[in-house]
Amino acid sequence: MKTDSAPPVVAKGSDLTETGANDNTAAIAGSAAALIVAGGGTALAVRRRMSRHTT
């Protein structure tokens, strides 16, 4: 059992470590969802247009 160990050194003004989560997560998720919806709408419109021209 150590009794003469020094206390850990902590830098002044240090904050807790970051966990990787930031404030941009919701904006990125919203943009991704909008792109998916836009892509699906475009695919649907092209499919309808192609079927309308072939008949």
Side-chain angles (χ1 to χ4, degrees):
M1 193 176 194
K2 288 184 168 181
T3 57
D4 58 316
S5 63
V9 178
V10 178
K12 290 183 180 181
S14 66
D15 295 328
L16 294 173
T17 58
E18 293 185 27
T19 60
N22 59 27
D23 296 334
N24 294 334
T25 305
I28 293 170
S31 297
L35 288 171
I36 291 171
V37 169
T42 301
L44 184 63
V46 168
R47 180 178 281 183
R48 284 185 179 181
R49 177 176 265 183
M50 294 292 279
S51 67
R52 198 178 295 168
H53 286 293
T54 58
T55 57

